[in-house]
């Protein structure tokens, strides 16, 4: 013991020393982290100045373009756009002045920048005045004579000077930040060494604790096994009947005492199997089963009852009958519990016999009394039940060790003391029971609440009966009890978990279906409707993925509480698991009532939740179905509501949809398509087609776009519009996208090794892929595995990807850009087009959507949009590629406007790799030059 104590003392001392070392290193790390934070703030400050300069450049370009447009067209709308840009530029100028207040050189440049900006603004204002008052000719003449070019050069010279100054500061601050970071890393390494020692000490202590825990676990397992064995072979006899009093169940003890095997007793009347008589009168006694069925209350057997078995053997029995109830509380049968009380009767007879012997001489009576006392003591101490013996004044005479243990008492504290003094808060009903038993009654309960001496309570099974003196008088009471608190709590817990969700406390699917069935019955009786709402939290997976499951669980609990507050008291809300909830709207008069409830739920969730310091907004996709309109079966109605919920998700989420028969058909088709996709991935049914991309100036094919096609063995070639949305929704787009990227990179590398061409391989990315952990790392691994250099890979993203998860997407794109991969923005102008995206994200190329290119020759608006996109891209230093080019006229228009690249049927439709090889050789090697020259 002493050695173990010294060992643990040494371990704890090492533990304390490691803690002190870790604390010291942590303080040093914290100090250097503060320095790193200061450096990071300076880096952020410099980035902010650079971004502000970019804003002024863009706003100045917008002012010049709008002024020129007004000069040429006289359209007042152009002036509004120019004035908005002027206001934005003024705001940014003031912001730069404030940001560079501590830099004298930048302040001097700012003053010169202010002068040039005002000078060019005066020219713009003069141009506007002349155009308005004297017309286009006067305005054009003034513009021709104004020093626009000279001021533009001065303006951009100042931009370059200020950019260079800020970049110099950025390098200095970044170096400081890096030095601080290196020191933090060194401190972290030392902390790790100290932490290793700390963990070693902790491991030793935990190992010892685990041994003790394992011993406790084995003891608990043994206890559980003993409890199971006890329940199977319980000492009491148990009979169960149906509502007609016919036997349904018997345990082995009941079979032995009645003499009836279960197989022969089942279906027989209780009176035929369980025959009892009064011990003294020998008259038939009433079996209390009929009384229990009539009253629904527990009934005790008659006092001094004797059971006559099938073979005529007699056995004194005691106990009671209780109703068996279903989930709805209705009586569905009776359980009769009884036991052989032969030993108890023998004990009573023994006491009387010893009292009679006391009438013989004092010495004989004393000896017999001692023997009797000894037997009584042994009986009390060795009985499995807790036993106490009291006199008529309710003072304790004897108490078994089990009694003292169960009620946390000491023998010296109770012998000779009144029961009511020890238990001062005992309810009046207990006093009434004692009074009746002192009058000769025997009372018992299978389950009851009993107050402890310390004020707590226990669930007990008890019996109180009188004991008799030698003269046959009642000398006091004998109390038998068994504490069943743990069993009671276990039963309550099992019952709770069978019908309720453990996380939220809401009803689970089983209880929900039961209440829905009851609602059907009530609706049929009242000729009303029942509404079922199947609800799924939108984007809940993002909460778990980004904030963790702890936040997700707390959010589910908060959602459950708020959801209950949005519904009527008679409605039922349940959690089916995950982020799925369901609601029973009982007693509905009209469909509009359901709509109002759905809208009320949506309104109730407009306010955000504050979950562990995180502000979270919650919306639902809700599917609604009605009984009896949509179906009369519980399971089918739930499936219908589920289909409607998925329809609500498909239409944009944060809304509700009523069930329609077509939804089931679509759901079936959707499931079949999803299953087919999984098999297609396993069987390799996907192929890639490649559509060439042409450089307008050089007339050479400089890249191809990889397009996925599904070669179905029965249906043939399935277009992506049919299966890509299903792949996105099911998550299969992730393995499909990885396969497409790997296959495309291998093909590009093969063309290079074959000497065909070094062309860019453009591959489309899905928003779902950006949610995968280490997505960027996986892309770089594929490049490394296939051997394709990063500069020959072009990743196409859509504007919807930029809108979702801005911070993480920006980080991933910058990792791609740093590796040398080109980023192009697909379908530009069709979604959430914003100049801020082009400034915030490292975009290399804008892809003009074919919906603009198709009508560019006949629709002036489309032509203006294409010109504007090309001009904007040129001003920002971005390349442009137009898709959907189908004619020579389209090509000529795009060449005139300065577009860099084209893609479309005018060059070639999507082709297999072998066909693309021939086409690249024809274009780039000069074969069939005449034909190609005519086309380009």
């Amino acid at each position: 013991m002493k050695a173990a104590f010294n060992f643990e003392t040494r371990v704890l001392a090492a533990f304390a020393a490691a803690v002190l070392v870790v604390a010291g290193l942590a303080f040093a790390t914290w100090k250097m982290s503060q320095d790193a934070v200061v450096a990071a703030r300076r880096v952020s400050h410099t980035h902010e100045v650079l971004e502000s300069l970019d804003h002024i450049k863009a706003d100045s370009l917008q002012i010049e373009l709008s002024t020129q447009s007004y000069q040429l067209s006289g359209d007042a709308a152009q002036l509004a756009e120019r004035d908005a840009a002027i206001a934005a530029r003024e705001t940014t100028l003031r912001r730069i002045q404030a940001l560079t207040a501590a830099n004298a050189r930048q302040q001097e440049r700012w003053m010169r920048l202010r002068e040039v900006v005002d000078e060019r603004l005066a020219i713009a204002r003069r141009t506007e005045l002349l155009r308005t008052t004297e017309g286009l000719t006067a305005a054009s003449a003034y513009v021709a004579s104004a020093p626009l070019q000279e001021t533009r050069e001065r303006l951009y010279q100042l931009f370059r000077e200020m950019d260079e100054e800020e970049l110099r500061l950025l390098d200095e601050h970044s170096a400081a930040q890096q030095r601080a970071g290196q020191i933090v890393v060194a401190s972290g390494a030392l902390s790790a060494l100290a932490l290793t020692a700390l963990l070693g000490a902790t491991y030793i202590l935990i190992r010892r604790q685990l041994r003790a825990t394992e011993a406790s676990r084995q003891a608990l397992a043994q206890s559980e096994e003993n409890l199971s064995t006890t329940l199977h072979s319980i000492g009491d006899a148990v009979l169960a009947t149906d509502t007609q009093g016919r036997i349904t169940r018997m345990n082995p003890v009941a079979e032995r005492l009645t003499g009836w095997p279960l197989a022969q007793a089942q279906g027989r009347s209780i009176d035929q199997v369980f025959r009892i008589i009064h011990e003294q009168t020998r008259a038939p006694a009433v079996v209390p089963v009929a009384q229990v069925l009539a009253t629904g209350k527990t009934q005790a057997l008659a006092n001094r009852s004797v059971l006559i078995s099938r073979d005529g053997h007699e056995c004194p029995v005691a106990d009671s009958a209780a109703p068996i109830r279903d989930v709805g509380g209705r009586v569905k049968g009776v359980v009769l519990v009884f036991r052989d009380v032969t030993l108890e009767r023998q004990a009573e007879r023994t006491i009387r016999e010893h009292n009679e012997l006391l009438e013989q001489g004092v010495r004989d009576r004393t000896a017999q009394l001692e023997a009797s006392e000894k037997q009584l003591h042994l009986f009390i101490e060795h009985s499995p039940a807790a036993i106490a013996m009291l006199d008529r004044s309710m003072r304790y005479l004897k108490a078994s060790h089990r009694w003292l243990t169960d009620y946390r008492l000491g023998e010296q504290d109770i012998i000779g003391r009144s029961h009511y003094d020890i238990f001062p808060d005992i309810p009046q009903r207990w006093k009434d029971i004692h009074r009746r038993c002192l009058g000769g009654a025997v009372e018992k309960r299978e389950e009851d609440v009993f107050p402890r001496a310390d004020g707590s309570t226990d669930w007990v099974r008890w019996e109180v009966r009188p004991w008799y003196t030698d003269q046959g008088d009642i000398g006091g009471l004998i109390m038998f009890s068994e504490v069943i608190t743990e069993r009671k709590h276990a039963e309550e817990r099992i019952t709770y978990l069978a019908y309720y969700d453990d996380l939220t406390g809401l009803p689970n699917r089983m209880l929900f279906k039961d209440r829905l069935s009851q609602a059907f019955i009530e609706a049929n009786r009242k000729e009303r409707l029942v509404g079922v709402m199947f609800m799924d939290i939108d984007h809940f997976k993002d909460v778990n993925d980004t904030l963790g499951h702890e936040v997700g669980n707390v959010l589910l609990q908060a959602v459950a509480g708020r959801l209950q507050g949005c519904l009527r008291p008679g409605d039922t809300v349940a959690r089916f698991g995950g982020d799925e909830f369901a609601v029973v709207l009982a007693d509905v008069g009209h469909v509009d009532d359901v709509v109002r409830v759905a809208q009320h739920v949506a309104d109730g969730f407009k306010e955000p939740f504050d979950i562990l310091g995180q502000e979270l907004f919650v919306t639902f996709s809700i599917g609604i179905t009605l009984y009896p309109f949509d179906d009369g079966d519980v399971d089918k109605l739930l499936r219908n509501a589920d289909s409607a919920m998925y329809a609500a998700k498909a239409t944009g989420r944060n809304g509700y949809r009523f069930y329609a028969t077509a939804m089931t058909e679509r759901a079936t088709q959707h499931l079949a398509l999803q299953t087919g996709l999984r098999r297609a991935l396993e069987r390799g049914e996907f192929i890639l087609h490649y559509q060439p991309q042409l450089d307008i100036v050089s007339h050479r094919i400089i890249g191809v776009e990889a397009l996925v096609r599904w070669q179905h063995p029965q249906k043939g070639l399935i277009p992506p519009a049919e299966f890509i949305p299903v792949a996105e929704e099911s998550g299969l787009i992730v393995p499909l996208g990885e396969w497409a990227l790997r296959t495309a990179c291998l093909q590009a590398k093969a063309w290079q090794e074959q000497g065909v061409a070094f062309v860019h391989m453009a591959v489309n990315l899905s928003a779902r892929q950006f949610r995968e952990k280490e997505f960027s790392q996986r892309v770089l691994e594929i490049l490394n595995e296939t051997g394709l250099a990063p500069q020959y890979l072009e990743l196409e993203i859509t504007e919807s990807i930029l809108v979702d998860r801005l911070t993480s997407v920006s980080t991933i794109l910058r990792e791609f850009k740093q590796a040398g991969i080109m980023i192009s923005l697909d379908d530009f102008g069709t979604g959430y087009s914003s100049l801020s995206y082009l400034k915030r994200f490292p975009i290399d190329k804008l892809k003009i959507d074919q919906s603009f290119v198709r009508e560019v020759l006949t629709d002036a608006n489309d032509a203006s949009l294409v010109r504007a996109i090309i001009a904007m891209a040129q001003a920002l230093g971005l390349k442009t590629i137009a898709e959907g080019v189908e004619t020579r006229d389209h090509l000529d228009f795009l060449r005139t406007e300065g577009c860099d690249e084209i893609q479309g049927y005018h060059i070639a439709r999507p082709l297999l790799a072998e066909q693309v090889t021939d086409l690249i050789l024809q274009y780039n090697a000069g074969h069939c030059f005449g034909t190609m020259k005519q086309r380009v």
Side-chain angles (χ1 to χ4, degrees):
M1 176 65 76
K2 184 176 180 180
F5 174 79
N6 292 335
F7 176 79
E8 292 187 2
T9 300
R10 290 195 297 273
V11 171
L12 289 174
F15 183 93
V19 169
L20 291 176
V21 173
V22 171
L25 291 174
F27 176 80
T29 303
W30 172 82
K31 184 62 176 64
M32 296 312 302
S33 297
Q34 297 302 307
D35 295 342
V37 169
V38 172
R41 290 199 189 104
R42 291 174 178 170
V43 170
S44 175
H45 181 276
T46 304
H47 277 299
E48 191 172 358
V49 174
L50 290 171
E51 289 178 0
S52 299
L53 288 171
D54 289 340
H55 285 308
I56 292 180
K57 294 175 188 177
D59 292 337
S60 298
L61 178 61
Q62 181 63 47
I63 293 169
E64 185 173 350
L65 292 175
S66 299
T67 302
Q68 291 176 0
S69 298
Y70 176 74
Q71 172 192 340
L72 297 174
S73 65
D75 184 4
Q78 299 296 328
L79 293 180
E81 293 183 3
R82 184 201 66 188
D83 291 341
I86 290 172
R89 184 176 66 184
E90 285 299 314
T91 300
T92 308
L93 278 170
R94 288 193 295 272
R95 184 181 179 193
I96 291 177
Q97 183 183 16
L99 290 172
T100 60
N103 190 327
R105 290 192 297 271
Q106 289 293 68
Q107 285 289 295
E108 185 273 331
R109 294 188 184 101
W110 182 88
M111 294 296 294
R112 287 191 284 147
L113 178 66
R114 173 84 264 180
E115 293 173 359
V116 175
V117 167
D118 291 342
E119 185 176 347
R120 289 180 62 82
L121 181 59
I123 294 173
R125 297 290 190 190
R126 179 62 179 169
T127 302
E128 171 191 352
L129 178 62
L130 291 174
R131 180 65 176 85
T132 304
T133 57
E134 299 181 20
L136 176 62
T137 302
S140 299
Y142 172 75
V143 169
S145 63
L148 283 176
Q149 183 61 32
E150 184 267 340
T151 57
R152 182 185 295 110
E153 292 174 356
R154 287 163 53 200
L155 181 65
Y156 280 90
Q157 178 60 30
L158 287 171
F159 284 153
R160 286 191 293 274
E161 291 176 3
M162 296 185 79
D163 281 345
E164 290 170 358
E165 176 66 10
E166 293 301 324
L167 290 173
R168 182 185 66 77
L169 292 174
L170 180 61
D171 291 339
E172 292 179 0
H173 299 333
S174 298
Q177 184 180 12
Q178 184 177 8
R179 288 194 298 274
Q182 291 171 347
I183 296 176
V184 170
V185 169
S187 298
L190 292 176
S191 298
L193 292 175
L195 184 59
T196 301
L198 179 64
L199 290 176
T202 304
Y203 168 77
I204 295 171
L205 294 177
I206 290 176
R207 184 177 179 86
R208 292 193 171 185
Q209 184 61 37
L210 286 176
R211 292 195 187 102
T213 302
E214 176 62 18
S216 298
R217 187 194 66 77
Q218 292 177 357
L220 180 60
Q222 183 63 43
S223 176
E224 291 289 342
E225 182 179 351
N226 293 341
L227 177 60
S228 176
T229 302
T230 300
L231 291 176
H232 181 71
S233 56
I234 187 171
D236 288 356
V238 180
L239 287 174
T241 75
D242 57 19
T243 55
Q244 303 301 318
R246 294 187 294 265
I247 299 294
T248 58
R249 293 183 182 276
M250 299 174 68
N251 71 346
V253 179
E255 291 180 327
R256 177 174 57 80
L257 292 181
T258 61
W260 285 88
L262 175 60
Q264 298 179 16
Q266 260 183 334
R268 294 180 180 271
S269 170
I270 183 66
D271 293 324
Q272 184 179 359
V273 175
F274 187 78
R275 296 172 53 217
I276 57 176
I277 62 174
H278 290 288
E279 183 179 33
Q280 297 173 349
T281 65
R282 310 295 294 178
V286 177
V287 179
V289 170
Q291 296 175 339
V292 173
L293 291 172
T295 64
K297 298 180 180 179
T298 300
Q299 300 288 335
L301 296 180
N303 288 335
R304 302 284 176 175
S305 297
V306 175
L307 172 65
I308 301 177
S309 67
R310 188 178 185 182
D311 59 3
H313 176 73
E314 296 185 3
C315 172
V317 293
D319 242 320
S320 61
I324 302 174
R325 301 181 184 275
D326 60 16
V327 176
R330 293 179 294 271
V331 177
K332 57 185 295 186
V334 176
V335 59
L336 180 63
V337 181
F338 57 98
R339 57 195 174 88
D340 182 353
V341 294
T342 301
L343 291 178
E344 295 177 18
R345 301 286 170 81
Q346 289 176 352
E348 293 175 7
R349 286 193 296 271
T350 299
I351 293 172
R352 286 197 300 271
E353 290 171 0
H354 281 288
N355 287 335
E356 292 172 356
L357 290 175
L358 287 176
E359 296 178 356
Q360 300 177 13
V362 174
R363 295 179 61 181
D364 291 342
R365 287 168 53 191
T366 301
Q368 292 174 359
L369 180 60
E370 290 176 352
S372 177
E373 286 288 336
K374 184 176 181 180
Q375 291 183 13
L376 180 60
H377 177 74
L378 291 174
F379 171 75
I380 291 176
E381 286 301 321
H382 295 287
S383 173
I387 302 175
M389 187 174 182
L390 301 91
D391 62 17
R392 291 188 62 87
S393 299
M394 296 300 293
R395 288 189 299 268
Y396 278 89
L397 301 176
K398 289 185 179 296
S400 69
H401 179 73
R402 181 67 177 271
W403 181 280
L404 300 174
T405 302
D406 284 352
Y407 297 105
R408 302 173 189 174
L409 299 170
E411 186 172 9
Q412 68 278 7
D413 298 329
I414 67 169
I415 300 301
R417 292 184 60 193
S418 170
H419 182 71
Y420 301 137
D421 291 338
I422 297 172
F423 299 100
D425 298 326
I426 192 168
Q428 181 60 41
R429 68 182 184 89
W430 281 97
K431 296 180 180 180
D432 295 338
I433 291 171
H434 298 156
R435 187 172 57 255
R436 289 194 296 271
C437 292
L438 287 172
V442 175
E443 300 217 14
K444 63 182 70 178
R445 297 286 188 279
E446 285 302 309
E447 292 181 354
D448 206 345
V449 177
F450 188 82
R452 288 181 180 270
D454 59 7
S456 61
T457 58
D458 270 321
W459 281 96
V460 296
R461 172 188 178 193
W462 58 264
E463 177 179 341
V464 179
R465 61 174 55 249
W467 61 269
Y468 296 88
T469 67
D470 294 339
Q471 292 74 30
D473 300 325
I474 295 177
L477 299 179
I478 295 180
M479 297 183 181
F480 302 87
S481 75
E482 178 185 357
V483 177
I484 58 171
T485 301
E486 291 186 5
R487 188 190 77 187
K488 184 67 175 178
H489 290 172
E491 291 173 352
E492 292 173 351
R493 180 64 176 168
I494 292 171
T495 302
Y496 176 83
L497 293 178
Y499 295 103
Y500 291 89
D501 174 53
D502 194 32
L503 177 64
T504 63
L506 296 177
N508 61 12
R509 184 185 293 267
M510 180 181 294
L511 183 55
F512 179 88
K513 292 170 70 173
D514 179 74
R515 292 188 179 177
L516 183 57
S517 299
Q518 296 299 320
F520 289 172
I521 296 172
E522 191 68 14
N524 292 336
R525 187 175 67 83
K526 295 182 178 180
E527 296 184 354
R528 304 277 283 182
L529 305 177
V530 177
V532 176
M533 295 178 15
F534 201 94
M535 311 170 67
D536 186 87
I537 299 177
D538 297 328
H539 304 297
F540 180 74
K541 185 178 183 298
D542 293 344
V543 175
N544 279 338
D545 290 346
T546 58
L547 302 179
H549 289 279
E550 179 183 0
V551 173
N553 288 341
V554 176
L555 178 60
L556 287 173
Q557 292 170 338
V559 166
R562 187 178 294 185
L563 194 56
Q564 287 177 302
C566 294
L567 301 173
R568 303 172 301 176
D571 297 332
T572 296
V573 57
R575 177 174 178 244
F576 279 13
D579 59 346
E580 292 182 343
F581 294 84
V583 176
V584 175
L585 301 177
D587 197 21
V588 175
H590 194 272
V591 176
D592 292 343
D593 297 337
V594 180
V595 173
R596 280 191 290 271
V597 172
Q599 189 58 51
H600 183 61
V601 170
D603 293 340
F605 281 82
K606 288 182 178 179
E607 292 297 324
F609 290 90
D610 184 359
I611 306 297
L612 302 180
Q614 298 285 338
E615 188 177 74
L616 302 174
F617 287 88
V618 171
T619 60
F620 285 102
S621 295
I622 304 175
I624 302 174
T625 185
L626 294 173
Y627 172 86
F629 295 155
D630 296 329
D631 211 301
D633 179 77
V634 170
D635 291 325
K636 289 182 180 178
L637 210 63
L638 286 174
R639 286 196 296 271
N640 294 344
D642 186 56
S643 297
M645 182 271 291
Y646 276 104
K649 280 188 176 294
T651 55
R653 295 182 167 85
N654 191 17
Y656 60 86
R657 287 288 300 275
F658 278 86
Y659 170 75
T661 305
M663 291 180 182
T664 301
E665 299 174 357
R666 286 198 299 271
T668 302
Q669 296 172 356
H670 182 91
L671 181 61
L673 187 57
Q674 183 174 329
T675 303
L677 279 172
R678 294 184 186 278
R679 293 176 178 171
L681 279 169
E682 296 171 358
R683 299 173 180 174
E685 296 176 2
F686 292 103
I687 60 174
L688 288 183
H689 284 185
Y690 303 90
Q691 188 168 34
Q693 298 172 335
L694 184 76
D695 183 273
I696 294 179
V697 176
S698 66
H699 301 165
R700 294 175 61 84
I701 292 177
I702 47 80
V704 295
E705 179 181 3
L707 302 169
V708 180
R709 298 292 186 266
W710 183 1
Q711 188 66 52
H712 195 281
Q714 286 81 37
K715 300 179 181 179
L717 202 63
I718 299 178
E722 292 187 20
F723 66 84
I724 290 296
V726 178
E728 288 271 7
E729 180 181 333
S730 63
L732 293 173
I733 194 66
V734 174
L736 178 58
E738 183 172 326
W739 171 86
L741 178 62
R742 181 184 300 278
T743 304
C745 290
L746 288 172
Q747 183 59 61
K749 183 65 176 177
W751 281 331
Q752 293 177 3
E753 292 176 347
Q754 294 167 9
V756 176
F758 285 80
V759 296
H760 288 96
M761 177 63 70
V763 180
N764 291 279
L765 297 182
S766 161
R768 180 66 177 79
Q769 291 174 276
F770 278 83
R771 300 177 188 169
E772 293 296 307
K773 293 182 180 179
E774 301 181 353
F775 168 57
S776 59
Q777 184 64 32
R778 189 64 190 132
V779 172
L780 298 179
E781 288 176 358
I782 290 176
L783 282 174
N784 184 56
E785 293 168 5
T786 58
L788 181 66
Q791 61 265 31
Y792 294 108
L793 177 62
E794 178 180 331
L795 298 178
E796 294 191 5
I797 62 174
T798 61
E799 296 172 6
S800 62
I801 294 178
L802 302 182
V803 174
D804 187 23
R805 303 162 67 95
L806 290 176
T807 303
S808 60
V809 170
S810 176
T811 301
I812 293 173
L813 292 182
R814 293 190 186 281
E815 291 176 359
F816 289 157
K817 186 67 176 177
Q818 187 176 5
I821 300 172
M822 183 179 293
I823 308 298
S824 63
L825 189 56
D826 197 7
D827 301 335
F828 184 75
T830 62
Y832 307 90
S833 301
S834 171
L835 287 174
S836 65
Y837 296 155
L838 303 181
K839 292 187 294 182
R840 180 180 301 181
F841 298 100
I843 306 300
D844 298 295
K845 185 188 296 185
L846 299 183
K847 197 164 188 179
I848 306 173
D849 188 69
Q850 60 182 340
S851 62
F852 300 141
V853 177
R854 188 180 298 113
E855 304 297 333
V856 73
L857 301 175
T858 57
D859 190 318
N861 290 331
D862 283 350
S864 298
L865 286 172
V866 172
R867 290 191 189 97
I869 293 173
I870 294 173
M872 178 183 63
Q874 291 174 344
L876 296 176
L878 305 178
K879 285 191 173 185
T880 53
I881 178 172
E883 59 180 354
V885 178
E886 299 182 354
T887 66
R888 174 63 181 268
D889 292 336
H890 285 143
L891 174 60
D892 292 340
F893 173 85
L894 294 167
R895 179 189 288 118
T896 301
E897 298 301 328
C899 184
D900 299 300
E901 302 167 8
I902 63 169
Q903 174 182 343
Y905 283 12
H906 182 62
I907 304 303
R909 66 178 62 248
L911 304 169
L912 293 172
E914 298 79 7
Q915 298 170 308
V916 174
T917 301
D918 296 338
L919 189 67
I920 293 175
L921 291 174
Q922 291 174 2
Y923 266 90
N924 296 358
H927 296 173
C928 302
F929 179 79
T931 303
M932 300 305 158
K933 188 68 175 177
Q934 291 176 3
R935 298 185 68 181
V936 301

